[in-house]
């Protein structure tokens, strides 16, 4: 595994920061009921409102002249602890701030709004974007006169040409992508968007800051569904946005006014999950490589998609953009396309260990049929153009022993 101490400014390695960042441990004792205490992990602050010693202090806190908490929709100590940890992991050099939201979609909405998309502005969006993000752009931002054009963002030549032709306000990409696991050359795309004055927004949910740091590569705004790898245990819904000036001020204001702030309990669980991100990701990447390689040799499988494989179209880009090749694998069953849905359903129903569920990034291995889940809203023609066939299965590889996962897949393949 590559050494994650990657920038001159960073004092501690990623693994160390993942455990300690954001835990603003006090050096003076707090006292409750006559006993002093010193919590080593930030408590869950369930209070909706925060009082101060006098109203003058409240006045200064509300006016932004003095740092302090006042109202939980603005922020909350448990949420800030998680946000600080994310900011350190995404942007160790400093300068960017993290904002936690109640879901990945709330985070994406805030990121798009912070890019000041208004009437007559154009957004260039990756064709392979998560379906709800694409629909958010077309339906919700479309109502306000924003035009979204979908492009193949894994071809930087296409990105450059479209940016020159359409002069977009923002470019939205996803890397690693769902479900074919394409990897964008984020650094090269950032150079092009920057020279054109457009904001580059990267949904880095599948990669996490452990595998890729888009801000270091020149992106302006990073978005995660923290529901996935960051929290990692399939037990909360959360999102984060990380950005520096000028977007951070807009994000703070949008969150305050729209109110999609993460709750303290979810923030605490997300922060706890984050501490094991490197351990989980190492195991998930290792398992995914092993599973991808084993499935490539299976007679009932026609094709396997994983950036570690020699025939993956972005293998070379992955080598310089990602620290490792990620924990998702997708594969096509070797069946006629006309019978493919039934075969895919028979396979999924025959799984005994892998969990049938439309999410990813959990400690459990999850399996899903993209054509009827993440890509359900698309027409069959558009799905076909994107390569999302009826025979395609997506696996989000967990931290189990890989032999048990391979064994389960092999026995379920007997059912197709
Ligand atoms: C890549 C990606 N981005 C954003 C989201 C939305 O996240 P959430 O479900 O936390 O709102 C998802 C959800 O699956 C996703 O896969």
């Amino acid at each position: 595994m590559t050494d994650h101490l990657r920038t001159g400014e960073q004092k501690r390695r990623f693994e160390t920061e993942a455990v300690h960042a954001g835990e603003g441990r006090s050096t003076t004792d707090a006292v409750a009921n006559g006993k002093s205490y010193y919590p080593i992990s930030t408590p869950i602050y369930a209070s909706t409102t925060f009082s101060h010693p006098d109203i003058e202090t409240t006045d200064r806190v509300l006016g932004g002249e003095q740092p302090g908490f006042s109202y939980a929709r603005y922020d909350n100590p448990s949420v800030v602890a998680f946000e600080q940890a994310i900011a350190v992991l995404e942007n160790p050099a400093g300068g960017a701030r993290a904002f936690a939201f109640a879901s990945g979609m709330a985070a994406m909405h805030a990121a798009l709004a912070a890019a000041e998309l208004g009437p007559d502005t154009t957004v260039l969006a990756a064709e392979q974007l998560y379906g709800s993000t694409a629909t958010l752009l077309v339906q919700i931002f479309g109502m306000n006169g924003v035009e979204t054009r979908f492009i193949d963002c894994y071809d930087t030549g296409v990105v450059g040409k479209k940016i020159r032709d359409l002069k977009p306000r923002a470019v939205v990409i996803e890397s690693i992508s769902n479900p074919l696991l394409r990897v964008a050359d984020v650094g090269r795309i950032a150079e092009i968007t920057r020279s054109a004055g457009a904001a580059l927004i990267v949904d880095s949910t599948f990669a996490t800051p452990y595998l890729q740091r888009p801000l270091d590569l020149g992106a302006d705004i990073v978005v995660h569904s923290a529901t996935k790898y960051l929290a990692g245990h399939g037990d909360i819904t959360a999102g984060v946005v990380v950005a520096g000036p000028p977007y951070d001020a807009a994000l703070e204001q949008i969150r305050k006014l729209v109110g999609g702030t993460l709750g303290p309990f979810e923030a605490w669980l997300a922060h706890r999950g984050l501490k094991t991100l490197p351990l989980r990701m190492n195991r998930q990447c290792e398992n995914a490589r092993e599973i991808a390689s084993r499935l490539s040799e299976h007679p009932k499988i026609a094709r396997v998609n994983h950036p570690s494989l020699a025939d993956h179209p972005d293998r070379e880009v992955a080598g310089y953009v990602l620290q490792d090749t990620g924990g998702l694998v997708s594969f096509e069953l070797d069946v006629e396309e006309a019978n493919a849905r039934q075969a895919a359903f028979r396979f999924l129903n025959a799984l005994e260990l892998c969990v049938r569920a439309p999410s990813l990034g959990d400690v459990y291995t999850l399996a899903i049929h993209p054509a009827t889940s993440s890509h359900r809203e698309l027409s069959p023609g558009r799905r076909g153009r994107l390569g999302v066939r009826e025979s395609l299965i997506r696996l989000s590889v967990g931290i189990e022993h890989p032999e048990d996962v391979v064994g389960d897949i092999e026995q379920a393949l007997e059912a197709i």
Side-chain angles (χ1 to χ4, degrees), residues 103-106 130 133 174 178 203 205-206 224-228 237-239 358-360 394:
S103 70
M105 287 315 299
Y130 175 58
T133 306
E174 205 170 292
N178 177 30
D203 182 333
T205 299
F206 280 36
H224 290 276
S225 164
T227 313
K228 312 296 192 302
T237 305
S359 191
L360 62 115
R394 188 191 77 190

Side-chain angles (χ1 to χ4, degrees), residues 21-265:
E23 298 290 8
R25 294 176 189 122
S26 164
T27 47
T28 52
D29 285 357
V31 179
N33 302 327
K35 292 186 174 184
S36 64
Y37 64 94
Y38 179 80
I40 59 163
S41 71
T42 306
I44 301 169
Y45 288 91
S47 186
T48 55
T49 320
F50 300 88
S51 185
H52 306 108
D54 48 57
I55 193 65
E56 287 78 9
T57 307
T58 305
D59 181 37
R60 286 193 298 277
V61 168
L62 287 173
E65 295 144 37
Q66 179 176 327
F69 295 100
S70 57
Y71 189 55
R73 196 181 76 241
Y74 305 171
D75 57 9
N76 162 298
S78 313
V79 175
V80 167
F82 170 58
E83 290 174 340
Q84 285 180 353
I86 291 286
V88 167
L89 297 180
E90 268 303 343
N91 180 232
R97 291 157 69 196
F99 298 88
F101 289 83
S103 70
M105 287 315 299
M108 180 53 88
H109 173 266
L112 293 168
E116 293 188 359
L117 306 179
D120 304 323
T121 54
T122 301
V123 175
L124 277 189
E127 273 176 336
Q128 296 84 349
L129 273 191
Y130 175 58
S132 297
T133 306
T135 311
L136 171 71
L137 276 164
V138 172
Q139 285 186 6
I140 307 297
F141 285 89
M143 275 191 304
N144 294 325
V146 177
E147 188 187 1
T148 300
R149 301 284 290 265
F150 292 96
I151 55 160
D152 176 3
C153 75
Y154 304 99
D155 179 337
T156 38
V158 169
V159 179
K161 180 172 181 332
K162 292 287 179 188
I163 288 181
R164 279 191 301 279
D165 292 351
L166 298 168
K167 301 188 177 35
R169 170 69 57 85
V171 177
V172 188
I173 66 172
E174 205 170 292
S175 191
I176 306 168
S177 82
N178 177 30
L180 300 183
L181 314 174
R182 300 294 309 267
V183 182
D185 189 341
V186 178
R188 182 75 196 97
I189 295 174
E191 276 171 32
I192 306 170
T193 50
R194 189 143 295 196
S195 63
L200 177 60
I201 302 175
V202 181
D203 182 333
S204 196
T205 299
F206 280 36
T208 82
Y210 191 54
L211 301 189
Q212 149 183 287
R213 288 173 174 156
L215 297 180
D216 286 358
L217 297 170
D220 298 288
I221 305 180
V222 177
V223 179
H224 290 276
S225 164
T227 313
K228 312 296 192 302
Y229 287 105
L230 298 183
H233 295 73
D235 50 15
I236 60 154
T237 305
V240 286
V241 186
V242 192
Y247 304 103
D248 55 347
L251 284 162
E252 186 167 28
Q253 186 72 345
I254 290 161
R255 190 176 59 173
K256 211 168 171 178
L257 297 177
V258 179
T261 317
L262 188 64
F265 181 60

Side-chain angles (χ1 to χ4, degrees), residues 367-383:
I368 198 63
H369 183 235
T372 52
S373 56
S374 55
H375 290 65
R376 189 182 188 95
E377 306 299 328
L378 305 189
S379 66
R382 176 118 194 265
R383 277 202 297 271

